[in-house]
Amino acid sequence: MEDIHLAPSDEDDLYSGYNDYHPALDMSTLQYDEGFQQAVRTSYGKRPPVTGKTPGTSRGTTGMRVPGTSKAGPFRGITAVPSTSGRPVTGSQEGLARPMTAVRGAGYTSVGNRGQSGVFDPLNQRSTSVSPLQFKDENSPEERVKQLEKKVTELMEESCLAADRKELKLALDKAKEAASKERALTRLRDQLTTEVPPNMDLTYCVLFNLAIQYAANEMNTEALNTYQLIVKNRQFSNAGRLKVNIGNIYFQMGSYPKAIKFYRMALDQVPTTHKDLRIKIMKNIGLAFVKLGQFTDAITSFEYIMAEKADFQTALHLILCHYSLGDREKMKRSFQKLLEIPLEYVDDDDKYTTTLDDPHANLILEAIKNDSLRKYERKRIQEAECIILTASKLISPVLSSTFAEGYEWCVDQIKSSPYSELANDLEINKAVTYLRKREFTQLFEKRETKVASTAATNLSFLYYLQNDLTQADKYAEDAIIADHYNAGALVNKGNCCFSEGDLEKARDYYREALSNEASCVEALYNLGLTYKKLSNYEDSLDCFYKLHAIVRNHSQVVYQIAVLYEALGDMDQAMEWYQQVATLVPTDPHLLAKIGDMCETEGDKQQAFQYHSDSYRYFPSNIEIIEWLGAYYIESQVFEKAIKYFERAAIIQPNQVKWQLMVASCHRRSGNYQQALKTYKIIHRRFPDNIECLKFLVRLCTDMGLKEASEYATKLKKAEKTKELKEQRANSGSRPGSRRSSSRTSREGSASSNTSAPMYSPRNSNSSRSYQPTSARSVDSSRKEFPLLESDESYQPRQKELNTTYEDPLGPMEERPKTAARKKDADDDEFDNEELGDDLLPE
C-alpha cells in the first residue's frame, strides 16, 4: 500500500504554483519604470546614471557591483540584486559588461574585450602574430614563383585541349608559350637568394608536350631536338623510354635504320616486367624491317610476339612476310595460329538474348545491348573477322597448285575453328573469283537437288546476261528438271522465250511461276511486259496494278502504267501517272521531255517550255530538246536566246551545217546583218559546196551593196551545176523504176530496256539497273520542223539567168510600222472609219 498513491482531493490543484514568481520579475510594472523607459529611448540600451544610491549596490548599471564581492575578487556566480525599479541585475567582472539576459558569459561584449584597438575579436585571435585576413604580398619571390607555375600549368592544359580538338596550330602555340614561361620560371628561381627547389616534373611535362605538338604539326626536326633535350637530361627518370617516340618520328620520315636503332635502345631500357610495352616496341621493329624488305628479320620479331602474346594484327603481318617469301608451309602454319587466337574481353551474343521470364533482366539487356562497351565488342569482332578473311583471300590462290584446292583448304580450316561462320563468306569470295575468270561451270559443284536447281538458275541468269541464250535456256531447263517448283528457273526460261520472240510460251512460263510463288514480282512484271507486247493492254494494266500494290511507288512500275494509259488513249490518266514518275525520279531528262511533249499536244506551250527547260538543265546535250527550245524562241521572236541553243547544237554536231545556218538566220532576223554575213562566210569556208549558204551570201551582199556579190554568184552557179551532174550520174547508175528517197526515221516511244527485255531471275533480280524511262522519244506531229529551205524549186539552176531569190527558213520578216511615211493632213481624223471600243472610252 506504500507504493500506491491515491488521487488528490478536490482541494489540492495539480497545476497550482506554476504562476507564482518573484515580484521583481513582474513585467507588468516595466511601463512605469522610468529608468527602463529611459534606457529604451537612449542608444545602445544604456541606462542613465541613478540619482540615488541603494545600499549594497553599485553606482549604476555599467559599473554595478554585486553584494558580497570585492572589486578584484573572483566571479562567484550570478546574484540577483534589485535595481532602482525592482528588476534583478546580474553581476560581472570589472571591465566585462555582459548582456543582462545572459546566463553565462559568451564573450560578446560591447566594450570590454575590444581593449585599446577596438577590434571585434571574440575568438581571441588578436594574440597571433599574423592575421588570417591579411593579404599576401604578391611581389614576394615565393608568390611570383607559384603564380608563374600556375600560369605554365594552365597553358599546358589549353595546349592539350586544343590538340584534342584537332586544332594543331593553336596547340603548338600554347605549348611554345608554356615553354617560354617555364624558362622564365627557371631564371627567376636562379635569381632568388633563398633556395627554392626546381620543379622537375613541370619542366618534363612542358618539354614533352612541346615535342608532341611539334610531331603533330610535322615539324620533325624540332620534335627530335626537343626529345633529345629530355633524353640527355639525367635528372628526368625513365626518360630513355621516349626513344620510342624518336623512333616513330624516324619511321615517319622514312629513316627505317635509325628508327630500328632507337627502338632497340628503348627496348634495352624497358624492364622485362613491362611485357606489353616490350611487345609493342618489337612490333614496331618488325614493321620497320618490312619497310626495308628484310622479311626474315621481320619474321623473327613477329614470331617472338606470337610466342609471348599473339594478336590478330601480328599474325596477319607474319602471314604477309611468309607470302612475300613464297613459303607455303609456313603460310599454312601461320594461318592456323591466326585461327587459334581467342577473342579476349568479348562476350557471347547469347548474353544479350532476352528472356520472357524476367522483365527486369530484359530491361537491363535492352539498356546494354547498344552501349559503348557492346560497340567496342562489335568492333573487335569485326576487326578479327576482317583479318581472317583478308588472310584467307590472300593465301588461298597460292597454297596449292590449283585455285580450288587452296580455297578448299582454307574453308576446311575455318570450319574447324571458332570462326566457322566465316566459311560462307569465303565461299562467296570464291564464287566472285570464278565470275571474274568467267568460269561459270566451276561456280556450283553440289549435287543435292535444291542446291543443284539454285546453281543452275544462277548459271542461267549469268549466261543470259552474256546474251548466250542457248546456254541460258539449257541451264534454265536443268533447273526446272531438278526442281519444277523453282519460280526463278521458270522466270529465266520465260526470259529466254521472250528474247527469242516466242511471247505465248513466255507468257505460260510466267503464269506457271506465279502459280508456284504468288509473290514473285519478277514474273508479274515480265508477264505485264508480255501482255503489252501482245497488245493486250487491259491484262497488262492489271498485272502492273497488282505489282504496284505489292511494290509501292516503284518508278518502273508507275512508268509502265503511264505508258499503258497512253496506249489506251486516256491522256489524262497518262499525264497523271507520268507526273507521279517525275516525283519519284525528278532528274530524268527524257521523262521531263515526254511530259513536255504531252503538254504541247494539249496546247499548253508555257508548261511544255517549262518541262523542256528542266530536261535541258539535266541533259544539255540532247539535240531534240535543243532544237525544240530554239524553235520556241524563234516562234516567240526572241532570236538572241535562240542563237545560244543553235550554237550549242553546232558544237555537239559540228559536221551538221544546218545548225550554223540557223545561227546565221537568227542573226539576220534580229537585225545584226554584219554578224550574219560574218557567220555565212565562216560557214562557206568550212562547207564551200553548200548551195544554201551561197544563196544567202549572194542575197546579203546584193542587199548591202558589196562587190563580193558577183563572186559568190559565180560560185553558186558552179555549185548548182556540180550538184546537177551528180544527180544525173546517180540516176543513170540506178535500176529502172528504182527510187531513192530520203525519209526521216520515226522514233519509237518505248520503255527502254525494260520494255524490250523482261526482268531477270528472283535470285538475281538485277534491281540495280538504272532507270531509263524514255531512251528514245517519239516525235509528235505537232512539233514544228524548221527546214533550211522550204522548197528546192525556187533554186533550180538556170543556164542563162542566175536565180538569187531565197526564202527564209524562219519565215517572212514582220513589216516594220510605217511611222512618218507621209505627212498627216490637218483634216484627217485618227479614228476615221473606225469604231471606238468600250475599252477606249473614258471611265
Side-chain angles (χ1 to χ4, degrees):
M1 293 299 291
E2 295 176 357
D3 297 332
I4 298 175
H5 303 279
L6 298 177
S9 60
D10 294 339
E11 289 92 58
D12 297 332
D13 187 2
L14 291 175
Y15 301 100
S16 60
Y18 284 101
N19 293 327
D20 297 337
Y21 52 88
H22 193 275
L25 300 177
D26 187 8
M27 297 178 62
S28 59
T29 60
L30 289 179
Q31 55 182 342
Y32 306 109
D33 189 350
E34 296 180 0
F36 177 77
Q37 295 297 329
Q38 184 66 25
V40 171
R41 287 190 293 269
T42 58
S43 61
Y44 301 106
K46 294 180 180 180
R47 285 179 176 269
V50 182
T51 55
K53 291 185 179 180
T54 305
T57 63
S58 61
R59 291 188 298 267
T61 306
T62 56
M64 67 176 65
R65 285 166 48 191
V66 181
T69 63
S70 63
K71 183 176 181 180
F75 178 70
R76 300 175 186 270
I78 301 174
T79 304
V81 180
S83 64
T84 55
S85 59
R87 296 186 65 224
V89 183
T90 57
S92 62
Q93 296 178 354
E94 182 181 0
L96 185 62
R98 294 183 301 153
M100 295 174 61
T101 57
V103 177
R104 63 184 179 86
Y108 295 97
T109 61
S110 58
V111 176
N113 258 352
R114 296 191 181 187
Q116 299 289 334
S117 62
V119 178
F120 176 73
D121 187 16
L123 299 179
N124 198 21
Q125 295 177 349
R126 186 174 53 187
S127 60
T128 59
S129 59
V130 179
S131 174
L133 300 179
Q134 183 179 359
F135 291 102
K136 297 180 180 179
D137 187 8
E138 295 182 356
N139 295 324
S140 63
E142 294 81 1
E143 189 65 24
R144 289 171 58 191
V145 168
K146 289 182 180 180
Q147 292 296 330
L148 202 53
E149 286 182 351
K150 182 179 179 181
K151 182 63 177 177
V152 171
T153 306
E154 291 176 355
L155 288 172
M156 275 200 308
E157 291 177 355
E158 293 176 4
S159 175
C160 295
L161 293 175
D164 184 66
R165 297 193 303 266
K166 306 300 180 183
E167 299 176 4
L168 302 180
K169 185 65 172 60
L170 178 62
L172 179 60
D173 294 339
K174 294 293 183 181
K176 288 180 178 180
E177 188 177 354
S180 176
K181 295 286 186 182
E182 196 276 333
R183 288 192 295 270
L185 177 61
T186 304
R187 290 193 297 269
L188 180 62
R189 283 201 191 96
D190 296 340
Q191 294 173 2
L192 293 179
T193 55
T194 59
E195 184 177 354
V196 179
N199 192 346
M200 300 306 298
D201 292 338
L202 183 62
T203 305
Y204 178 86
C205 291
V206 169
L207 293 175
F208 183 50
N209 180 58
L210 181 61
I212 291 175
Q213 302 309 327
Y214 275 135
N217 285 271
E218 299 182 357
M219 302 173 67
N220 296 325
T221 304
E222 292 80 357
L224 290 174
N225 295 335
T226 308
Y227 278 125
Q228 290 292 346
L229 288 176
I230 303 175
V231 172
K232 291 180 180 179
N233 194 338
R234 299 186 179 277
Q235 294 181 357
F236 298 140
S237 59
N238 298 325
R241 299 182 185 180
L242 294 182
K243 292 180 180 179
V244 177
N245 296 20
I246 300 176
N248 291 338
I249 295 175
Y250 279 120
F251 189 95
Q252 294 176 359
M253 295 172 63
S255 301
Y256 302 113
K258 289 186 178 180
I260 294 173
K261 172 186 174 182
F262 278 95
Y263 285 145
R264 286 178 172 172
M265 292 170 64
L267 188 65
D268 294 339
Q269 297 187 7
V270 175
T272 55
T273 54
H274 295 181
K275 184 178 179 181
D276 292 340
L277 181 58
R278 292 180 64 86
I279 287 175
K280 291 178 181 179
I281 298 175
M282 287 295 295
K283 185 183 294 185
N284 290 356
I285 294 174
L287 293 176
F289 278 124
V290 170
K291 290 289 187 179
L292 290 173
Q294 301 178 14
F295 298 109
T296 304
D297 297 330
I299 288 172
T300 304
S301 300
F302 293 140
E303 285 181 346
Y304 169 80
I305 298 172
M306 293 295 292
E308 292 292 328
K309 186 178 179 181
D311 63 276
F312 291 98
Q313 286 286 346
T314 305
L316 179 61
H317 294 157
L318 184 60
I319 293 173
L320 287 172
C321 292
H322 290 309
Y323 177 83
S324 300
L325 296 176
D327 195 337
R328 295 181 179 179
E329 295 300 325
K330 290 186 177 180
M331 274 192 281
K332 290 183 179 180
R333 288 200 297 268
S334 300
F335 187 73
Q336 290 172 348
K337 291 180 181 179
L338 172 64
L339 297 177
E340 292 174 358
I341 300 175
L343 273 173
E344 298 180 353
Y345 312 112
V346 177
D347 296 328
D348 297 333
D349 291 337
D350 297 337
K351 172 183 175 181
Y352 300 97
T353 304
T354 58
T355 58
L356 301 177
D357 300 335
D358 192 353
H360 181 67
N362 292 340
L363 290 176
I364 296 176
L365 290 176
E366 287 294 332
I368 67 174
K369 187 176 291 185
N370 290 316
D371 61 350
S372 58
L373 179 59
R374 180 56 178 163
K375 292 178 181 178
Y376 174 74
E377 291 178 351
R378 289 199 192 102
K379 183 180 179 181
R380 287 179 58 86
I381 293 172
Q382 290 174 0
E383 289 178 354
E385 292 177 352
C386 180
I387 289 174
I388 293 173
L389 288 176
T390 302
S392 59
K393 292 174 185 178
L394 177 69
I395 66 176
S396 294
V398 298
L399 283 180
S400 183
S401 58
T402 62
F403 173 79
E405 291 180 2
Y407 264 100
E408 287 297 330
W409 184 87
C410 289
V411 170
D412 293 340
Q413 294 297 321
I414 291 176
K415 285 182 178 179
S416 60
S417 69
Y419 310 98
S420 56
E421 65 274 4
L422 299 179
N424 295 328
D425 295 336
L426 193 59
E427 289 280 5
I428 293 174
N429 182 72
K430 177 183 176 182
V432 172
T433 307
Y434 277 125
L435 283 176
R436 291 173 180 171
K437 293 183 176 182
R438 296 184 177 276
E439 298 178 4
F440 297 145
T441 56
Q442 303 293 330
L443 277 174
F444 307 98
E445 300 175 355
K446 304 297 181 182
R447 293 294 180 264
E448 295 84 356
T449 303
K450 293 287 186 181
V451 177
S453 177
T454 304
T457 301
N458 293 333
L459 284 173
S460 175
F461 163 71
L462 294 173
Y463 280 117
Y464 187 86
L465 288 181
Q466 288 188 324
N467 203 22
D468 191 350
L469 298 180
T470 304
Q471 292 293 328
D473 185 75
K474 173 181 175 297
Y475 281 103
E477 192 69 34
D478 294 342
I480 294 174
I481 294 173
D483 184 9
H484 191 72
Y485 296 99
N486 188 347
L490 293 170
V491 170
N492 286 347
K493 182 68 175 178
N495 292 345
C496 295
C497 296
F498 188 97
S499 299
E500 292 173 354
D502 193 352
L503 300 178
E504 298 290 341
K505 200 171 182 180
R507 179 192 59 189
D508 296 338
Y509 278 113
Y510 294 144
R511 285 178 175 176
E512 187 175 358
L514 285 173
S515 63
N516 293 337
E517 186 179 344
S519 61
C520 183
V521 294
E522 291 84 0
L524 189 58
Y525 185 90
N526 295 342
L527 181 61
L529 291 179
T530 306
Y531 279 131
K532 180 182 174 183
K533 282 282 187 180
L534 294 171
S535 299
N536 192 350
Y537 300 125
E538 295 293 342
D539 293 339
S540 177
L541 195 60
D542 292 339
C543 292
F544 285 115
Y545 264 116
K546 291 178 182 178
L547 189 59
H548 181 63
I550 298 173
V551 185
R552 301 292 299 179
N553 296 329
H554 195 280
S555 57
Q556 295 183 7
V557 177
V558 178
Y559 175 78
Q560 293 296 338
I561 294 175
V563 171
L564 289 171
Y565 272 120
E566 186 179 5
L568 290 172
D570 193 346
M571 303 306 295
D572 294 336
Q573 285 289 336
M575 175 63 76
E576 181 180 349
W577 285 94
Y578 275 130
Q579 289 177 348
Q580 289 189 26
V581 182
T583 59
L584 298 174
V585 192
T587 59
D588 191 322
H590 301 293
L591 177 64
L592 295 171
K594 176 66 177 178
I595 299 175
D597 291 341
M598 295 182 68
C599 292
E600 185 181 10
T601 304
E602 295 176 357
D604 192 350
K605 294 287 291 185
Q606 190 63 30
Q607 194 71 16
F609 170 74
Q610 182 64 39
Y611 279 108
H612 282 90
S613 298
D614 293 341
S615 176
Y616 175 78
R617 187 172 72 251
Y618 292 120
F619 186 27
S621 300
N622 192 335
I623 290 294
E624 295 178 356
I625 301 301
I626 293 173
E627 182 181 1
W628 192 96
L629 290 171
Y632 175 82
Y633 281 117
I634 289 174
E635 186 178 356
S636 302
Q637 301 295 321
V638 187
F639 302 105
E640 292 79 5
K641 291 187 177 180
I643 290 173
K644 179 183 71 173
Y645 293 100
F646 290 130
E647 286 178 346
R648 178 174 288 275
I651 294 173
I652 297 172
Q653 294 181 349
N655 296 326
Q656 291 288 335
V657 67
K658 66 175 183 178
W659 305 121
Q660 301 181 36
L661 289 173
M662 295 296 286
V663 172
S665 296
C666 290
H667 282 304
R668 189 187 61 80
R669 293 297 300 272
S670 62
N672 193 353
Y673 297 106
Q674 293 294 335
Q675 186 65 33
L677 181 61
K678 182 179 178 181
T679 306
Y680 280 126
K681 288 181 179 180
I682 294 173
I683 297 171
H684 177 65
R685 283 196 296 267
R686 292 196 59 191
F687 305 95
D689 297 333
N690 188 271
I691 298 175
E692 289 79 8
C693 179
L694 289 171
K695 290 179 180 180
F696 291 138
L697 282 171
V698 171
R699 181 58 182 270
L700 275 176
C701 291
T702 304
D703 293 343
M704 298 174 67
L706 300 177
K707 297 180 181 180
E708 301 173 354
S710 59
E711 179 184 352
Y712 289 122
T714 304
K715 291 181 179 181
L716 174 60
K717 184 177 180 181
K718 185 178 179 180
E720 287 177 344
K721 188 173 182 180
T722 303
K723 180 181 178 182
E724 183 179 358
L725 291 175
K726 286 182 180 180
E727 290 178 353
Q728 291 177 359
R729 191 180 300 112
N731 292 332
S732 62
S734 60
R735 292 182 180 181
S738 65
R739 179 179 301 174
R740 291 189 179 184
S741 61
S742 59
S743 60
R744 188 181 299 270
T745 304
S746 62
R747 293 181 289 268
E748 298 179 359
S750 59
S752 74
S753 59
N754 293 333
T755 59
S756 60
M759 295 179 70
Y760 303 116
S761 64
R763 187 176 180 85
N764 298 280
S765 59
N766 199 20
S767 59
S768 61
R769 290 181 293 168
S770 60
Y771 171 73
Q772 298 176 354
T774 51
S775 59
R777 300 188 297 119
S778 60
V779 180
D780 296 334
S781 59
S782 60
R783 171 170 294 182
K784 291 186 177 182
E785 296 291 340
F786 290 90
L788 295 176
L789 298 174
E790 296 182 1
S791 176
D792 291 338
E793 297 177 358
S794 302
Y795 302 99
Q796 293 297 329
R798 297 180 182 179
Q799 299 294 331
K800 295 182 180 181
E801 184 180 357
L802 181 63
N803 184 10
T804 60
T805 61
Y806 74 100
E807 295 183 8
D808 195 345
L810 303 180
M813 293 183 62
E814 294 183 354
E815 294 183 359
R816 293 178 57 191
K818 297 180 180 180
T819 59
R822 62 183 179 86
K823 293 183 179 181
K824 185 175 65 173
D825 299 331
D827 298 335
D828 290 343
D829 189 2
E830 289 184 358
F831 302 99
D832 189 20
N833 297 327
E834 292 184 8
E835 295 182 0
L836 296 177
D838 295 336
D839 55 340
L840 299 178
L841 296 177
E843 296 180 0

